[in-house]
Every structure is written in C-alpha cells, then in structure tokens.
Amino acid sequence: MQDRLHEQLVGGELMAPNWSKAKVTAFRRALLGWYDQEKRDLPWRRDHDPYHILLSETMLQQTQVATVIPYYEHFLQLFPTVQALAQAPEDQVMKAWEGLGYYSRARHLQQAAKQVVQDYGGQFPRTAAELRQLSGIGPYTAGAIASIAFNQPEPAIDGNAFRVFSRLFKIDADIAKPQTRQLFDQLIRQLIDPKRPGDFNQAIMDLGSSYMRAKDPDPAHSPLAAFDQSYLSDTVMDYPVKSKKKPKKVVPYFALVIHSPQGYLLVRRPRTGMLADLWMFPLVDRSELDAALEVDQLVEAADRFEALADVHLTFEVTGAKLVRHTFTHQQWQLTLVQADSPAFDLAVLPAKWVKAADFGRLALPTVQKKLLKALGLGGTK
DNA sequence: GATCCGTGGAA
DNA sequence: TTTCCAAGGAT
C-alpha cells in the first residue's frame, strides 16, 4: 500500500489514496466533528487576525505550546498590532523574545511586519505564495496563515502533520529529508476540507499532540482510529520514519569576566550565528588553542580590549569555574576567567559596561544567565 | 540537500 | 545523565 502511495505521489499523480469520495467525506467529518467538541482553548484561537496567527506560528516553531502562551500574551501587550511591531525598537523586540530561543525568529518577525506595513499598506497578503515571500515565513507558516486567517485550502505541514499522516497511511519516507514534504503536501491536498481548511489543519495538530502524539500515543481512542492503518496493523511506533541527527560538537571557551568601576563588560553578539544580537561576556574559543600555551594566548586575545585603552588585564585562571550549556547541535564548556580593569572607552565596540543591577534591561541568552548565576550575580536559572 | 539555529520538559 | 523532541526557516 505505502509503496503504491509513494509511487503515486512521487510520480506526480494526484490520485486519492485508494479512498472513495464517501470515505474522504467520512474522514473529514470524523476529524472536524471531534475538533468541534474537543479543540484546545488557546489564546491565538480567539480570532483569525493574521497578525495573531503569524505571531503564534512563529513562536510555536520548534517550541511547545505551554512555553509559548505567556510569551504570546506579553508580546501582544507590548506590540498589539503589526504597525506597532514594525515601529518598535529592535532591542525591545529581542527583550520580549528573551528565553524563547532561535532568536533570528524575532528579527525575521519584525522584518515581516515592516514588509506588511510598507509593501501591503498594513494588510496581510492572502495567498500562501505571497505570504511565503515575507521574512521568516516558510511553507508551513504560509500554509497556516493562509488556511487559518484566510480560509485558503493550503496544507500546514508541521511535525504533527508528518506524524499523523505517516501513521494513517504507513508512509515509509524519511521525514527528515526535505524532499519528503512534497509527498505529504500532495496527499494532504486531497484530504483537506475545502470548506474548513484552517480547522482541518488545526485539528491535525490537536490530534498530533494528543491521541497521535510522538510519545505514549493512544491510537485506540483516536477519532481517526478507523482510518489509522498503523493502528489497525499494530505498527504505530514504527512511524514516522525519521533519520537520526549527527552528535553534537563540544566547544570549549574562556568567558571573560572583566569588571571595572562602571560595571561588567558585555558585548553584543554578531547579527548572524549563535545567539545573534544578544548580550554576553566576551568569549574566547579555546578549541584551537594549544593547551600548554593557552593562558598566554588568552592574554593575547584580551589585547583587543586592551588596545582600546592603556590598560593591562590580568586574568585569574586558577580555580576558574566551569559552566556547561547544551544547544541542539553543540555543547559549550565555559571556563570563567576574571580580571579587574579600569574603565575604558568602549565606543568603537558593540560593547558596554553594565552594572549587575542593570543586567535585566538587556536581552540575555540563557547561557549568559547561567554564567551570572555561577558568579553569584543574580538570576534564577 | 546538509547544516545551523535555543530552550525546557519528559522519560 | 542522556536523549528526544515541540505548530520550522534560512543559508
């Protein structure tokens, strides 16, 4: 069955998966009937405002619902409209995103708001193709906004949709491969309810987070149990098929804690890459340093700061504290080294002296909060 | 197409 | 402790 389905879909034929029109109708009725009774009451389901949908979908990328809810409410308090977001200071937007992770989402979101205001007069475009052109909006988010806000029959293929449909049809294609998306896209287009595409997509998400969740699913009580080929063949946990990721790399750093009468030296991270735009202690990558010489090389690394003023910094290395922080694809091992310094001019650097009491004003990544805690400088993480 | 980009919860 | 993962997108 799945082989033929795969051949049909990959071959570009748009034949329904062996289902009669009556069965497709029954499928939609079972799904939407359940959704009407059991759908989750979520803040972004109070209306169909495309700005609200964009904000929620962006925050929900790779992030759990329970984590997003308070961020969503707070963000809308600060930036109630797409115009307000477009005009907001970027630092304020980053601060509102602090702790959510994947910080480029925040920058792209504000860029999208500016595009809507400048290119579309503040009115969101209504088609998935146009939405797809906005910054930070990919195929999933475009489909979600088009279907939920504008009632367009577009699939919204997220991890839930991959999991639900791979189980329903026992699809063996590897969902980790980008190419697999088109297979699901063509399948879902045949099943999506043209009268209620937004509800259809959201119903799949609710199902994927309940009866058809990744861990400890309960397919026997799913409203789609009768349509679930993996359940009917007792192979639920074989799906979805997903290849493994490579192991994460360990990266050692020195974290330079430079204290002057004006406070601690924090630098703004580069606009791209890890923890973009956020504020941290300066880091020195020691992965390429010669272990026997690295303390001397640390001093050399500090020269970029010393060159700005007539100062010499002596770092305290013995008894240094080690802080570990794990990201999706790498682990940092941060050795805290401290130095006292006279205050010197930082105007030419994306850096500033910050007193401990003012750390809360800046957008800091979680790893920086860990460092502060290790130093006894507040923070709860 | 492969890799990069955060965080917190759960087993 | 380790691993997986949760409403992806950019490069």
Side-chain angles (χ1 to χ4, degrees):
Chain A
M1 172 58 192
Q2 64 268 25
D3 290 339
R4 179 165 50 179
L5 175 65
H6 186 272
E7 288 175 13
Q8 285 177 338
L9 294 173
V10 171
E13 300 177 32
L14 295 180
M15 295 297 295
N18 265 351
W19 285 13
S20 65
K21 285 187 179 178
K23 185 164 185 178
V24 172
T25 300
F27 174 85
R28 293 168 178 165
R29 182 175 297 128
L31 178 64
L32 291 171
W34 170 76
Y35 181 72
D36 288 337
Q37 296 296 319
E38 306 292 340
K39 66 181 176 186
R40 290 174 290 179
D41 180 20
L42 300 171
W44 43 89
R45 289 181 175 174
R46 295 187 291 235
D47 56 58
H48 288 180
D49 185 323
Y51 173 58
H52 296 166
I53 306 303
L54 169 61
L55 176 60
S56 63
E57 295 300 345
T58 303
M59 286 185 164
L60 285 162
Q61 289 167 10
Q62 303 293 290
T63 309
Q64 296 185 0
V65 168
T67 301
V68 166
I69 289 174
Y71 279 93
Y72 175 84
E73 302 279 20
H74 179 59
F75 200 94
L76 274 188
Q77 293 283 329
L78 292 174
F79 317 110
T81 65
V82 68
Q83 288 83 4
L85 177 58
Q87 297 168 2
E90 184 180 333
D91 285 348
Q92 194 180 350
V93 177
M94 296 307 298
K95 181 64 182 175
W97 209 269
E98 179 185 67
L100 252 191
Y102 285 152
Y103 297 96
S104 66
R105 290 185 295 178
R107 188 158 39 84
H108 286 301
L109 176 66
Q110 188 180 28
Q111 179 59 28
K114 291 178 178 179
Q115 289 175 268
V116 169
V117 168
Q118 293 172 9
D119 300 346
Y120 294 95
Q123 300 296 312
F124 276 76
R126 301 174 66 90
T127 69
E130 290 174 295
L131 289 162
R132 182 69 182 77
Q133 299 305 310
L134 299 178
S135 183
I137 296 185
Y140 164 74
T141 304
I145 298 173
S147 63
I148 298 170
F150 300 120
N151 217 36
Q152 309 269 344
E154 292 286 338
I157 309 172
D158 64 345
N160 288 306
F162 277 123
R163 182 170 55 258
V164 167
F165 288 103
S166 71
R167 287 178 179 170
L168 291 178
F169 296 100
K170 297 178 67 171
I171 297 172
D172 292 317
D174 183 356
I175 67 168
K177 297 192 179 305
Q179 185 182 8
T180 303
R181 170 176 293 274
Q182 66 167 323
L183 190 161
F184 283 77
D185 186 281
Q186 294 180 40
L187 171 63
I188 296 169
R189 284 183 187 280
Q190 300 167 57
L191 298 172
I192 193 168
D193 190 327
K195 293 191 171 79
R196 302 178 60 187
D199 287 343
F200 180 96
N201 285 331
Q202 293 183 90
I204 294 296
M205 297 178 203
D206 278 15
L207 200 55
S209 63
S210 57
Y211 296 104
M212 299 185 72
R213 70 178 75 89
K215 298 177 181 177
D216 190 30
D218 182 17
H221 298 98
S222 162
L224 298 185
F227 301 88
D228 186 346
Q229 294 179 34
S230 69
Y231 167 61
L232 296 174
S233 63
D234 195 23
T235 55
V236 169
M237 297 313 290
D238 292 342
Y239 302 94
V241 175
K242 187 177 185 181
S243 57
K244 307 235 173 169
K245 304 164 196 170
K246 69 175 189 179
K248 48 180 68 81
K249 180 172 59 174
V250 176
V251 188
Y253 287 103
F254 286 117
L256 309 186
V257 183
I258 303 172
H259 186 251
S260 83
Q262 289 184 274
Y264 291 88
L265 182 68
L266 294 187
V267 297
R268 189 200 286 272
R269 305 267 308 169
R271 195 167 181 76
T272 59
M274 292 282 290
L275 308 176
D277 293 331
L278 303 189
W279 292 86
M280 281 199 74
F281 290 137
L283 300 183
V284 176
D285 183 349
R286 54 189 296 199
S287 62
E288 304 299 326
L289 299 184
D290 184 325
L293 301 175
E294 64 182 4
V295 172
D296 291 334
Q297 294 176 37
L298 168 61
V299 173
E300 290 180 23
D303 282 349
R304 69 181 278 220
F305 298 106
E306 297 177 1
L308 298 171
D310 185 18
V311 297
H312 177 70
L313 303 180
T314 302
F315 287 94
E316 180 63 48
V317 178
T318 56
K321 297 175 180 175
L322 179 65
V323 171
R324 299 174 199 276
H325 187 77
T326 302
F327 300 93
T328 300
H329 61 292
Q330 53 184 276
Q331 181 185 92
W332 287 4
Q333 293 181 352
L334 302 153
T335 299
L336 282 158
V337 294
Q338 305 186 50
D340 287 315
S341 166
F344 52 90
D345 183 20
L346 296 170
V348 300
L349 275 180
K352 62 171 82 176
W353 297 108
V354 182
K355 295 190 182 302
D358 292 328
F359 286 143
R361 297 177 183 277
L362 300 175
L364 308 178
T366 296
V367 62
Q368 173 66 18
K369 293 188 173 184
K370 275 191 190 178
L371 296 178
L372 294 178
K373 186 184 179 189
L375 291 167
L377 294 174
T380 55
K381 300 242 172 153

